[in-house]
Amino acid sequence: ISTESAARVAGLYASSTQTTATDTTTICKFAVEELRIAPNISTSQTCAANKPVNVTASLIGPGQTVTTSPDNQLASKVAVTYTTLQLIPIPGLLKGKATLYRTVQMRIRG
C-alpha cells in the first residue's frame, strides 16, 4: 500500500507542469516520504537503482518520445520501485527480498 501511495503522491506532483514531470529529485522526496514507514528507509534516503527506492519519471504524449497517453494529452508517467529488507525465504514463493513496483500516469494540469 505504501508503494502505491508513493507512486500516487509522486504522480500528483509530477503532473503539476511539464517541468515537474521530469523533476526526479523532488519526485524522489515525495516517494520516500510516503515510504517512510518501511524499516529500510532512512531519514536521508535517496533514490537510485541500487537503493531500496528507485523512481523514474517522464513526460508522455504528443510531441514526446512516448507519444501515447491515456487521452492523447500531455501526461506525466512516474514509476516507483521499492525493495524490501532481506526476508525469510519461502521455497518456490519468496526468494528473500521482495520488489514492489507501481506506475501512475496523470495528465499535466499546468
Side-chain angles (χ1 to χ4, degrees):
I1 293 172
S2 293
T3 306
E4 190 173 301
S5 181
R8 179 184 48 81
V9 168
L12 281 171
Y13 167 76
S15 68
S16 300
T17 66
Q18 290 184 37
T19 305
T20 60
T22 56
D23 178 10
T24 54
T25 302
T26 307
I27 290 169
C28 172
K29 289 178 185 177
F30 280 106
V32 166
E33 192 57 39
E34 286 299 310
L35 288 164
R36 184 77 56 211
I37 193 171
N40 60 338
I41 303 298
S42 68
T43 55
S44 61
Q45 183 68 51
T46 59
C47 300
N50 60 347
K51 302 278 185 168
V53 180
N54 186 26
V55 298
T56 58
S58 59
L59 185 62
I60 61 173
Q64 304 304 312
T65 304
V66 176
T67 58
T68 55
S69 65
D71 59 358
N72 292 323
Q73 300 294 319
L74 283 178
S76 64
K77 180 178 180 179
V78 175
V80 176
T81 305
Y82 168 68
T83 305
T84 66
L85 290 169
Q86 182 68 30
L87 305 171
I88 298 171
I90 302 171
L93 185 62
L94 181 63
K95 294 183 180 184
K97 284 189 177 185
T99 301
L100 308 171
Y101 180 87
R102 292 292 180 260
T103 302
V104 296
Q105 293 181 16
M106 294 186 186
R107 183 191 296 181
I108 299 297
R109 296 174 279 152

